[in-house]
Amino acid sequence: LRGSSVELLEDALITLRNVTVEPESDIHLFQDGAVAPLVAHMLSDDPAIRKAALGCVRNLSANSRSKAHVLRENGLQPLVAFLASHDEEVQENAAVVFRNLSINAENDDKLVWEGGLPALVTILRGSSVELLEDALITLRNVTVEPESDIHLFQDGAVAPLVAHMLSDDPAIRKAALGCVRNLSANSRSKAHVLRENGLQPLVAFLASHDEEVQENAAVVFRNLSINAENDDKLVWEGGLPALVTILRGSSVE
């Protein structure tokens, strides 16, 4: 990896991409110092080299021991650029890395401050279901952080999040609802959710047969109701009948 012809380098990278599917292989890559050259090759001028290096990093990011190494070697810079690629396979691989990194809360600040949010929000506006789900789950994970919602407003994410709560795909609906649940915990966020007509899908979620969906929607209503100026909307847009139905038989939460 540290200096070879393009053909030899591509063969080595594709081999590493294939073997890093195995969960224990990343230990040997750390010991042999492979992560730094892999990140460097994600910045290569050769598209095939970039894609093969990204494939290795995608596999490594699935392992909790690997994530810190990718971040330590400044792997976010090329990954943010890949999210805007016109090659959907490249976009999807980068989105999977972001999703894997976002599982660890200690990584979320880096994902926010190094430019990941604008790229992820762009994906919300039109992408394949797989890419969209990865972006939504990453956003759901990072919106637990109290400062991330500011960037989401600035980047115009709330409108597409509300739209995705109306998706035909259950996984997309649930991931979008998770983002809105987190945003609703912040006083600065609530007005944005209401302004984008977020109550319509939330009322429907209260009647869902999926208890996790019901609970997330109920948490949003609880958070919105803390502000008295929201109460009229909660009443007039159908929230009360759905909440009363929950009283007749639901979990303690």
Side-chain angles (χ1 to χ4, degrees), residues 35 38-39 42 52-62 70 79 97:
V35 177
L38 284 175
V39 170
M42 288 199 296
L54 171 59
C56 294
V57 172
R58 172 189 168 145
N59 292 342
L60 292 176
S61 74
V70 174
L79 289 166
V97 178

Side-chain angles (χ1 to χ4, degrees), residues 14 17-18 47-48 50-56 58 79 82-97 128 130-131 134:
I14 290 173
R17 183 192 65 196
N18 293 341
R50 289 198 303 270
K51 186 178 286 191
L54 171 59
C56 294
R58 172 189 168 145
L79 289 166
F82 286 144
L83 287 176
S85 172
H86 296 295
D87 182 328
E88 194 164 292
E89 181 186 348
V90 168
Q91 270 193 312
E92 287 182 0
N93 280 339
V96 169
V97 178
S128 68
E130 294 80 6
L131 182 56
D134 286 330

